[in-house]
Amino acid sequence: MSGFIRGRDDVARRPDAFGTRERRVRVLGGHDVALVNGPVFLVGLFYAVSPWVLGFAAAHHDLAVHDLVVGCAICLLTVGFTVAPERMTGLSAALGVTGLWMAFSPWAVVRHPGRAAAVDGVVLGVLALVLGLLSTAMVRRANRLP
């Protein structure tokens, strides 16, 4: 009977799934991730409203709808990163891919996007790409911590 208890004590000392999850939440829920999530949310929000702010929504309706949908998707990803970081770690690279798409999408959606739409897509796309790479690096670093 004492062997059973001793074996049970050994198991209790090992990290379990709950301890791993708590560590991941603690690490990913820190200030570093919050410093990335805020700017990402702002990039997504501005990308969603930029066709109307910059005035190219009337000339390029398809691009305006595209920017609205992609901007809202980025905002939803950011909310997910903030609310449930332990479940969203695998999607941190999706932000970088989305940023790359944002940079090229003005020419993929319309043939001649115009200067405002092109600059908007490239600048916000590069910002999203850089923040996505930063977020991915932070998640990988957090997953390597003991």
Side-chain angles (χ1 to χ4, degrees):
M1 189 98 179
S2 66
F4 177 72
I5 294 173
R6 183 178 35 197
R8 189 171 176 190
D9 289 340
D10 291 341
V11 171
R13 290 183 193 143
R14 285 189 254 159
D16 59 341
F18 295 112
T20 303
R21 185 179 343 175
E22 288 173 3
R23 179 188 60 83
R24 204 174 267 169
V25 168
R26 185 183 73 246
V27 171
L28 294 177
H31 297 291
D32 294 341
V33 175
L35 289 174
V36 173
N37 288 344
V40 170
F41 185 81
L42 292 176
V43 165
L45 185 63
F46 187 73
Y47 194 71
V49 300
S50 64
W52 293 274
V53 172
L54 298 177
F56 63 86
H60 304 293
H61 179 70
D62 293 342
L63 188 58
V65 171
H66 168 271
D67 289 1
L68 178 66
V69 170
V70 172
C72 289
I74 290 172
C75 288
L76 287 175
L77 273 175
T78 307
V79 169
F81 292 148
T82 304
V83 173
E86 74 279 2
R87 293 182 182 172
M88 299 291 288
T89 57
L91 290 176
S92 62
L95 182 60
V97 173
T98 304
L100 194 59
W101 167 250
M102 289 165 59
F104 292 106
S105 66
W107 294 276
V109 176
V110 296
R111 180 167 270 199
H112 302 287
R115 185 181 185 105
V119 170
D120 175 56
V122 170
V123 169
L124 292 177
V126 168
L127 279 172
L129 175 64
V130 169
L131 291 170
L133 292 174
L134 181 63
S135 177
T136 302
M138 290 170 55
V139 167
R140 286 188 179 181
R141 184 188 68 197
N143 286 335
R144 284 194 308 249
L145 291 177

